[in-house]
């Protein structure tokens, strides 16, 4: 068993690792070390950061729930597109598996809709 076909791949990994290490070390050596109060604060898009959320209550997580919902349906599209491209080459089993997958996603969508996750208040 010869390892010669793997030598270019190993070489590319070595070059990538060396570049990563060189970049991190170079930034550490060449970068400024003076910290001030402004650099240590969290960036808040130009708005002064406040210790409490607006209104003094818990921070609303609606944005994060919407982002997670987007990711779930985005993953669905990632699985659905290759299936649609090769639909004519799949047997009936491929159709049934995708039918079950779409059914599971539809149940998640209906649950999210019923819970009010799609309402923009």
């Amino acid at each position: 068993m010869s390892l010669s076909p793997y030598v270019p791949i190993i070489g590319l990994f070595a070059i990538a690792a060396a570049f990563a290490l060189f970049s991190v070390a170079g930034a550490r050596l060449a970068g400024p070390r003076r910290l001030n109060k402004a650099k240590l604060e969290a960036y808040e898009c130009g708005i002064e950061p406040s210790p409490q959320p607006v209104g003094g209550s818990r921070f609303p997580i609606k944005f994060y729930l919407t982002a997670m919902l987007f990711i779930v349906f985005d993953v669905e599209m990632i699985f659905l597109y290759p299936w649609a491209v090769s639909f004519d080459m799949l047997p009936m089993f491929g159709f049934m598996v995708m039918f079950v997958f779409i059914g599971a996603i539809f149940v998640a969508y209906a649950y999210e809709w019923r819970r009010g996750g799609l309402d923009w208040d």
Side-chain angles (χ1 to χ4, degrees):
M1 187 165 154
S2 176
L3 292 178
S4 62
Y6 297 106
V7 170
I9 296 172
I10 294 170
L12 284 175
F13 277 125
I15 291 171
F19 178 74
L21 290 175
F22 175 75
S23 297
V24 170
R28 185 66 132 164
L29 293 174
R33 292 184 180 82
R34 292 175 302 207
L35 298 177
N36 58 26
K37 184 180 176 186
K39 285 185 180 181
L40 294 176
E41 286 185 10
Y43 179 66
E44 297 285 341
C45 302
I47 301 172
E48 290 293 326
S50 61
Q52 293 292 326
V54 176
S57 62
R58 294 178 61 186
F59 186 80
I61 60 169
K62 186 117 177 116
F63 172 77
Y64 301 107
L65 293 176
T66 304
M68 290 301 294
L69 183 65
F70 171 76
I71 290 171
V72 166
F73 290 110
D74 195 38
V75 168
E76 176 191 8
M77 287 297 118
I78 290 171
F79 285 121
L80 194 58
Y81 184 74
W83 173 80
V85 169
S86 62
F87 178 71
D88 57 344
M89 294 182 283
L90 294 174
M92 188 57 147
F93 178 72
F95 177 74
M96 295 306 294
V97 167
M98 190 51 69
F99 185 75
V100 169
F101 176 72
I102 290 174
I105 294 297
F106 179 73
V107 168
Y109 177 73
Y111 174 77
E112 187 69 25
W113 190 355
R114 185 161 188 215
R115 296 277 298 179
L118 301 175
D119 296 334
W120 289 90
D121 296 320

